[in-house]
Amino acid sequence: MTTMAASTRFAGIAEMLLFLMERVASRKQLAKLRRVNKAFEMAATPFLFREVYYDVGAVYNAHLKFDCLKESPHLCHVRKLAVKGSWSNWEGCNDVLQQMFPRMAQLESVEISGFLISRAMLGTLQESCPRIKSMSICFPDLDYDLYEVKTLEIGYYDPTPAQPEVHQPPDAVNSLADFTHLEELSLENFHGDLDWWRATIVKMLNNSPRLKKLSLSISTATINSYRYNGQSPYWSFFEDLCYGYAQSGAEPLSLESLHCGRSIFPSDDPDCLKMLTELTQLKQVYIDNGEVIDFVAKPLMMTYSLGNESPVGFEQFGPEYCPHLRRFSVFEYQSDVQSFFATISDESFSRQLAISCESQGMGYELDSLLRPCPDYPALPLHFRMLELDLFRDPEVFDGNNEAGGDDYHTISAVDIMEHLTGNDNGALEGLVVLLPWEEDSNGRCQLQRLELVEQALPRLQRLTQLAVTVAKCHQKTHKELEDMVTSAAEQLAAAGPTLHYIKVHWKRWQIWRNRDGTVRLDELDEDEARHVELFSHSIWAPDY
């Protein structure tokens, strides 16, 4: 009697193969598994082509690059399609998508960015892909394009808008309101008549009562056009949207994620936002509180023009209104953001919160939340995820005192790490730190202050994710940086007994621990890294 090998028996059980493929995040690994045998190929193919990302590029005949994709026999497996195109090739991009959609009946999510959309393409999408649950459209940045075209036409830079009149959006966009039962909606960088957009978005929200994720932002070109005409409806656009939605008679949504991009400001009246969504359901919030500038750095909208307060009502995202909030991000860590965090009196709320800021400094830094302050009795607080600058010793103003006042002082990197580890009690799960580097006597790159992080890791009882950003390292070769990055990752992985994932500069790894106490690092690809919360949540982009 012949006994089948275990591998052969495993391959013969379709359910086991599907169970395996569902748990493989790496597309590279899926591609390898697909080549094992026919059974593995059949099981792995739907997962390998489940998500397709395509960057068309800016060549004139961009649609020709699409040929290899639109003719693929695997389009029937695609659940998510993301296409990045060019505004100059928008007609070709739309034509190819219009040919692809009829072969993508399983499509559930579509992301389009960088080019204008046609009514015919959207109509085909709606007709051919009834399972669409997620739609994301990032319109081209016409501000840059129009300035460039105008400069070429007249031969010099003219600071007035290339199209000073605010125009009705093209008819192509009208069909957006026809989509129903969406669970995720993202309209980024939209331009044109804001009254029209507000009415269209209200219709879309009415058609998708189960929406869980909403993301909006207004284009710089539109802000510039209204400003040129002496109008400023962009300041109150989101507030008017909330009132417009309530006036439509619809019940508040149950959003779990709210992304307020450029010029989308939640007002300081929580009752206004409650008209749009149940705040108790929110788990993730992002607010762009940065100023708006054009492509030559001319300020168009100063968010903090009246001092230390922006038009954003941050308090409505506190524990009283949003008890289940897990992630909170802003573009710029300013005084009103710090006041919001520093007045959180519910310690359990801060310990469940991952916070991130694209920009911090000028006396307002996240590390200030880790130490006592007489102006804020609730401090110190500890958070689930945090970003700390160890590159320099930050200049800190307690409260809102001006530089040079009695409360102006400097906090060292040593003090910051001591405040972080003190009384943490297992709150911190993810940490991002910015470190400087230097050359040793042999000319090799080494990270400075790495020992501070290494010494802190054993004291952070639940830290599972760590990211190290390296400052001012563009002068070195790729090989020099790679050696420094890999060495630092190995050193930190060995020092952190609870670490599961680590990122140093651009490289990311999963950490495996052997029985003898040694560690092994497996590098993650883009698909695997997206599943690590810290790597996808942190938006910090230090400019030094």
Side-chain angles (χ1 to χ4, degrees):
M1 181 177 177
T2 304
T3 304
M4 296 177 61
S7 58
T8 305
R9 295 198 305 271
F10 180 87
I13 305 175
E15 293 80 3
M16 292 296 292
L17 287 180
L18 290 177
F19 182 84
L20 170 65
M21 303 307 171
E22 286 176 345
R23 282 151 182 77
V24 179
S26 170
R27 292 151 76 89
K28 292 180 180 179
Q29 293 298 328
L30 283 170
K32 292 178 180 179
L33 290 171
R34 189 168 172 260
R35 293 195 295 267
V36 171
N37 55 37
K38 287 292 184 182
F40 272 66
E41 180 183 12
M42 291 181 62
T45 295
F47 294 95
L48 179 61
F49 296 99
R50 174 171 285 190
E51 297 183 4
V52 174
Y53 300 85
Y54 200 88
D55 189 345
V56 177
V59 296
Y60 177 73
N61 291 322
H63 60 283
L64 297 179
K65 295 180 65 179
F66 255 151
D67 287 346
C68 62
L69 185 61
K70 74 179 184 180
E71 300 298 335
S72 171
H74 304 299
L75 290 178
C76 60
H77 301 302
V78 178
R79 303 289 182 89
K80 179 178 180 179
L81 175 66
V83 178
K84 181 179 180 180
S86 171
W87 71 275
S88 60
N89 302 309
W90 70 275
E91 291 178 326
C93 293
N94 279 277
D95 289 344
V96 174
L97 288 175
Q98 198 171 344
Q99 297 176 55
M100 291 171 57
F101 288 146
R103 303 173 59 191
M104 304 173 72
Q106 302 296 314
L107 189 65
E108 298 177 352
S109 173
V110 61
E111 297 180 5
I112 296 173
S113 63
F115 60 94
L116 300 175
I117 56 178
S118 71
R119 186 182 185 90
M121 183 272 290
L122 287 179
T124 304
L125 172 63
Q126 184 181 17
E127 179 180 352
S128 304
C129 307
R131 300 180 62 177
I132 284 291
K133 298 177 182 178
S134 174
M135 176 179 291
S136 174
I137 300 177
C138 182
F139 295 93
D141 198 342
L142 297 181
D143 190 28
Y144 289 81
D145 302 331
L146 293 173
Y147 271 122
E148 182 180 359
V149 169
K150 186 175 182 182
T151 303
L152 291 174
E153 288 177 350
I154 65 179
Y156 61 91
Y157 168 68
D158 185 340
T160 58
Q163 286 187 346
E165 298 298 329
V166 178
H167 295 283
Q168 177 83 5
D171 290 340
V173 194
N174 286 323
S175 56
L176 280 174
D178 297 333
F179 285 86
T180 60
H181 306 297
L182 295 176
E183 297 179 4
E184 298 183 0
L185 173 63
S186 176
L187 298 172
E188 301 288 342
N189 213 41
F190 54 81
H191 45 81
D193 188 331
L194 293 183
D195 289 334
W196 182 93
W197 272 108
R198 184 170 56 252
T200 299
I201 294 172
V202 167
K203 291 179 183 178
M204 297 188 74
L205 299 181
N206 277 317
N207 289 337
S208 300
R210 296 183 180 179
L211 195 72
K212 298 299 181 184
K213 182 177 180 179
L214 177 63
S215 179
L216 302 171
S217 72
I218 302 173
S219 72
T220 303
T222 294
I223 295 173
N224 197 17
S225 295
Y226 274 107
R227 184 175 178 273
Y228 180 77
N229 286 303
Q231 302 170 309
S232 56
Y234 41 82
W235 283 106
S236 61
F237 177 84
F238 188 66
E239 183 177 359
D240 295 339
L241 175 67
C242 294
Y243 283 112
Y245 180 75
Q247 291 169 0
S248 71
E251 292 293 323
L253 301 168
S254 296
L255 295 178
E256 296 179 359
S257 175
L258 177 62
H259 187 285
C260 299
R262 186 188 304 110
S263 193
I264 304 296
F265 300 123
S267 72
D268 56 5
D269 180 8
D271 290 333
C272 178
L273 186 54
K274 286 180 181 178
M275 297 177 184
L276 178 68
T277 183
E278 295 285 352
L279 299 184
T280 56
Q281 301 299 312
L282 280 175
K283 298 178 180 178
Q284 180 173 345
V285 172
Y286 168 81
I287 298 175
D288 185 346
N289 61 334
E291 64 181 24
V292 178
I293 60 175
D294 65 10
F295 85 112
V296 291
K298 180 184 73 175
L300 301 177
M301 190 174 72
M302 303 294 291
T303 314
Y304 289 87
S305 59
L306 300 179
N308 293 326
E309 299 295 327
S310 70
V312 179
F314 289 105
E315 291 75 14
Q316 63 195 303
F317 300 107
E320 178 182 355
Y321 301 104
C322 303
H324 302 300
L325 195 65
R326 298 276 295 171
R327 303 178 188 172
F328 189 88
S329 308
V330 295
F331 177 83
E332 188 172 359
Y333 189 69
Q334 276 280 6
S335 58
D336 53 351
V337 184
Q338 175 166 306
S339 296
F340 162 60
F341 285 133
T343 53
I344 295 176
S345 57
D346 186 347
E347 184 179 354
S348 63
F349 180 77
S350 67
R351 295 172 73 88
Q352 75 183 24
L353 203 58
I355 57 179
S356 180
C357 308
E358 187 166 335
S359 172
Q360 55 176 304
M362 300 300 293
Y364 299 106
E365 315 216 11
L366 290 173
D367 65 82
S368 63
L369 302 173
L370 301 174
R371 57 183 178 273
C373 174
D375 293 333
Y376 300 110
L379 296 181
L381 291 172
H382 291 273
F383 295 84
R384 190 168 63 86
M385 292 189 178
L386 195 65
E387 299 158 340
L388 299 176
D389 187 348
L390 303 184
F391 170 66
R392 58 182 176 80
D393 295 337
E395 297 173 344
V396 175
F397 319 136
D398 285 341
N400 293 322
N401 296 291
E402 298 296 331
D406 294 338
D407 294 326
Y408 171 69
H409 56 279
T410 298
I411 301 296
S412 70
V414 175
D415 291 335
I416 290 175
M417 296 307 291
E418 187 59 37
H419 293 144
L420 175 69
T421 54
N423 302 317
D424 173 67
N425 294 329
L428 196 67
E429 298 177 9
L431 174 65
V432 181
V433 293
L434 176 68
L435 298 179
W437 67 273
E438 66 177 357
E439 290 185 359
D440 62 15
S441 57
N442 297 318
R444 293 174 298 187
C445 300
Q446 287 188 337
L447 285 176
Q448 293 181 294
R449 300 182 174 176
L450 188 66
E451 72 283 354
L452 295 180
V453 182
E454 186 178 7
Q455 294 166 8
L457 290 179
R459 301 172 63 186
L460 298 171
Q461 304 167 16
R462 293 183 57 199
L463 187 71
T464 58
Q465 304 165 44
L466 174 66
V468 177
T469 301
V470 184
K472 294 184 177 180
C473 57
H474 55 276
Q475 304 97 327
K476 309 305 292 183
T477 66
H478 181 81
K479 181 62 170 61
E480 290 174 313
L481 289 176
E482 187 167 24
D483 291 344
M484 176 185 70
V485 163
T486 304
S487 174
E490 292 172 345
Q491 185 176 341
L492 293 173
T498 59
L499 282 180
H500 295 166
Y501 299 97
I502 187 168
K503 175 182 177 182
V504 180
H505 208 25
W506 77 95
K507 300 190 72 173
R508 297 152 296 196
W509 296 270
Q510 183 174 6
I511 302 171
W512 298 94
R513 302 188 184 280
N514 302 317
R515 292 182 178 180
D516 60 1
T518 59
V519 297
R520 175 171 58 87
L521 301 183
D522 281 352
E523 190 168 357
L524 302 177
D525 61 23
E526 290 291 336
D527 301 287
E528 295 170 305
R530 282 201 301 269
H531 294 279
V532 181
E533 182 181 8
L534 182 70
F535 300 164
S536 59
H537 165 69
S538 177
I539 58 173
W540 190 24
D543 56 359
Y544 49 83

